[in-house]
Each structure stands twice: as C-alpha cells, then as structure tokens.
Amino acid sequence: MTEAKTGSGSGNPLPVINEARRLETLADYHATQLSGDPELQRIVHFAAKLCDVPTAIVSLVESERQCFIAREGLEDEETPRSVSFCAHAMLDDELMEIRDATQDDRFAKNALVQGGPQIRFYAGQPLHANDGSPLGALCVIDTKPRPDGLNALQKQGLKVLAEAVMCRMQGHRDALFAAKEIKGKEGQFLTLVDSIPAIAWSTDAEGNFDYFNRRMIEFTGIERADNIDAIHPEDAEAADKAWRHSLTTGEPYEAEHRLRHADGSFRWMMARAIPVRDDTGKIIRWFGSAVDIDAVHKLSDSRDLMARELSHRIKNIFAVVSGLISLTIRKRPDQRELGDELIQTIRALGRAHDFVRPVDGAASDNLRGLLQELFAPYGTGDGARVRVVGDDFGILARSATPLALVFHELATNSAKYGALSVEDGFVELSVSDQDDDLLVLLWEEHGGPPPKTMPTDGFGSRLVEMSVTGQLGGSWERRWSEDGLVVELSLSKKAIAA
C-alpha cells in the first residue's frame, strides 16, 4: 500500500529539477561551514520539542549524500542520498509527511526504516533558495508511527522554523560574500548590503556605528546612523553588555533583542557581528546583521501559554479526583484506608507534576529536587527523615510520574511498617552514577521494627515493578538487613536523565 504525501495539496507531478544548477546554488551557501551553528541547533531543538519527537535535522542534499548541518537526537553527520527522505521532501513546495514509513512503498524497504534509526514517522519542510532551487529539508523523525500526523500548529511551526533556517543560511552566505567583496570593492559591497532583506551595519574598531543599510532605515524609520536608540529598554542593557564583551575580546557578537519598528511596535531580532582584521590580526572594523525572528518567538510564547494552561488543567484534575474519592469514602467508611492511600498517591503525583510543570514560576528538572518535594511530608532540612545523598541529575519530565509512584510507595510502606513508623527511624537514599548507562538508587531504612512476617507481593509491589521495569527501563531488588528494609533500584539513564 502506498501512503500519499500529505501537505502539498497540489496533486501535481513533482517538478523537473536542473540538478547542475541546483548543486551550484547549494554550493554558493557554503552551508557545511554552519555545522553545529548555535542558532540552527536551537531551531532543531525547538522543532523536536514542538513536534514531540526525538529527532530533528537540517539536511542538505548533495549529489551523492545528504549532510546534517544541525541535528537533535542523532549522531550521524551524513547518509547516502539513496536512502534520503529529505531528497523527496525538498522537491515539493509544502510539508511532506510520512505517517508510517513501513506502509509506504517508497520507503518501506529503505535501510533507515529496516535498520537504524528505525524511521517510522517523518515530516519534512522543504528548504528552497530564493530562486526556488531545492536544497534540502528541515525534518522531524519518530521511531513510532503517528496515524494522526502533526497538528496544524506543528505544521505551521515547522514552516516558520524552515524560514528561519533559510534566513540563517542566507545570512551566512551574505556575510561570506560581503567579507570577500569588502577588500577593495567597498562601493559594490554597500550596494549589495542595501539589497539584502536583513538589516546590516558596520562600526569602526572601537565600536562606533558609521553605517546602516537601507533595510535599517526602512525598518526603524531612523535616518541617521549616529542616532540609533531603537532597542527595547528591557533588552538594551544585556545587548550592550554583549557588544562591549565582543569589543573587548574580539569574539563574534550575538544577541537576541527587540527592535522598534517604524510603526511603533517591537519585533524580536537575531543580531550578529564579526570583526575584520588586518594582516597582523588587529581588528579594523566590525560588520553585523540583524534578522527578524519575531514569528519564531511568538510561536514559542504561544506554545508556552498552551503548556501552562494544560498544566493548570491537569492540577485541577488531580484536585477533582481527590475530591471524588473523599466523597466516596464518606459513604463507604469501610474503604477509608484505601481511599486515604489513593488520595496520598494522587497528591504525590500532583507534587511531581508541579515540580516539572508548574503553573507559575520556573520548572525544575533535577532528581534531588523532585525527591525532596516528594519527601517533604517526612521533614525537611536538618529534620528530614528521608535523607537524599550522592549524585544529582537532570530528569526528563516524563520520568517524574513513575519516580513519584515508586518513592511514594516506598515512603508510605515505611511510614506504616518500617523506619518511618517509629520516632527515631530514618531512611537514607543514595544516588550514584555507574557510568554504564545506569543510575543506582539505594533505599536503606534504619532504626525501624523488624518485619513480623516476610511481606508478600501486593498491589504496591506490582505498582513499583510496573513503574521500574516498564517506564524507567530498569530493575529492582528488595532485601532485609538487621537494620531494616533495603531496596536497590537500577534505572536507565536514557529513561530518566535529561
């Protein structure tokens, strides 16, 4: 069965491409010099998060290979063109979406589908030069099929991000060309700079602005280069500090700030500058550019707003469920113990959720902070009865829920039967990095009563087993020492650590 490409909407045959001309256009960008470029890396990182996929790539298709100048979640720097999905995507004028590659005749036998990286879902937004030449694609990849594909916001986001990629590549190409032409051809250089869509400027060696291109005047409405006061007041200090640092060190300048438009509004810009040196290495001038990235910022703000709203709704769900349980156990007092346990578990999940997805304030993402939040009911600071020691790690948001379930269960059992059930008992939880893709968490109870009988596997044990082996990619072991219960958890770093 052949899965039709979605997103083009044209229904027309793919265009015939002049390959020689296409390769000449691609070579003009010298885009491989942008490999690892911070701006492109931020774009692919955001694209992966926007589409909730592990992998995002900026791929440029050459004659025999496709090279990845920016990548998230992938080690390879290139693959043969013969297995390239992006070689197909770049030929269209809209997003190419493959919802299940194993069901698409074009790709089902592809080496990237049959073997690593096990591509199942693919969405590629074509990257086209100004003359329409296809250069490659900004793509997102998942190892799982996505029957429903991307939503409208994600598709629009990829389109905006692809435009930002081309702006960066265009800016890079223009900067290289300008640097070459400036030697002895300043007049031609100024004409060229006035023709580009980005803002361009120059200063002397001390950082005194002496030129802005026509785009700057059109954008801000400011006529004189020595009267630039258009940066947003909240951004001016940081931008000036970064610029002074570059003047002092000679390092390239880069800053994001808002710039006042001629209509009075402020738009986000990505500003860059590089020094020009003489034969002795002395800086003699600075040349810079500023690219409008306001659309990307608005998209990010919209996504953050949606995330906060979702987080608020989830917290409300926790509260509603707890309330329903409370109402139920009032009618069924014989189930009060079970109801109270469920309420405490839901509250633990709520604390974990609020730790990584707070409605207000900044989210936290470290393991020790999450554990301290969960164990707060058992004391904090010097009075903490669950003492967390050892290494700390950044954690993924998706690992917070299973971690909360596991340690809430251990703490609850300890409060009922173990060290936390007596006044002088305490628990030490040590976290250690085993340097082999494993985190080992050792739960050791001290000072508790010995178990009257060997506990059997009940619901709590099955819950821990499901969370540890199923969601955290690890294993666990219980044993009883003379001092109390010992639980050793070996968890996968890939499943937990950010």
Side-chain angles (χ1 to χ4, degrees), residues 76-126:
D76 295 334
E77 297 180 357
E78 63 179 65
T79 67
R81 179 175 177 173
S82 60
V83 298
S84 171
F85 283 55
C86 294
H88 293 261
M90 72 177 184
L91 300 178
D92 210 337
D93 57 356
E94 296 292 344
L95 181 78
M96 183 181 90
E97 188 176 52
I98 308 299
R99 297 179 178 179
D100 187 349
T102 64
Q103 302 300 311
D104 191 303
D105 291 343
R106 295 167 297 173
F107 304 106
K109 296 182 179 180
N110 189 294
L112 303 181
V113 176
Q114 295 289 327
Q118 295 284 316
I119 295 176
R120 293 297 178 267
F121 174 78
Y122 170 94
Q125 182 68 37

Side-chain angles (χ1 to χ4, degrees), residues 220-233:
T220 65
I222 296 174
E223 295 290 341
R224 292 167 45 195
D226 60 352
N227 188 28
I228 175 62
D229 186 24
I231 296 178
H232 195 287

Side-chain angles (χ1 to χ4, degrees), residues 205-262:
E206 287 71 39
N208 299 307
F209 292 88
D210 55 16
Y211 172 77
F212 291 100
N213 69 341
R214 184 178 295 111
R215 175 60 177 159
M216 178 66 175
I217 298 173
E218 293 171 349
F219 188 95
T220 65
I222 296 174
E223 295 290 341
R224 292 167 45 195
D226 60 352
N227 188 28
I228 175 62
D229 186 24
I231 296 178
H232 195 287
E234 294 178 2
D235 306 331
E237 182 178 353
D240 183 68
K241 182 178 180 181
W243 176 231
R244 297 300 165 190
H245 175 79
S246 294
L247 290 176
T248 302
T249 63
E251 298 175 1
Y253 167 74
E254 179 176 317
E256 291 186 16
H257 59 73
R258 286 163 287 182
L259 192 66
R260 186 174 60 242
H261 192 269

Side-chain angles (χ1 to χ4, degrees), residues 3 151 178 242 295 323 345 378 388 414 421 445:
E3 180 180 3
N151 60 40
T345 300
Y378 305 99
V388 182
S414 180
S421 68
E445 300 192 13

Side-chain angles (χ1 to χ4, degrees), residues 313-325 346:
R313 290 174 183 266
I314 290 174
K315 288 190 67 176
N316 285 344
I317 289 173
F318 284 142
V320 169
V321 173
S322 295
L324 290 174
I325 294 173
I346 291 170

Side-chain angles (χ1 to χ4, degrees), residues 450-472:
K452 298 178 181 179
T453 60
M454 294 297 289
T456 58
D457 288 342
F459 173 77
S461 299
R462 292 194 297 273
L463 181 64
V464 172
E465 173 73 19
M466 178 182 67
S467 299
V468 171
T469 62
Q471 296 175 275
L472 300 176

Side-chain angles (χ1 to χ4, degrees), residues 25-55:
T25 302
L26 178 59
D28 285 344
Y29 281 87
H30 299 280
T32 53
Q33 296 178 13
L34 288 173
S35 180
D37 177 74
E39 184 176 345
L40 294 179
Q41 285 300 125
R42 285 194 292 271
I43 288 174
V44 294
H45 179 73
F46 181 72
K49 287 191 172 296
L50 173 68
C51 299
D52 193 24
V53 297
T55 304

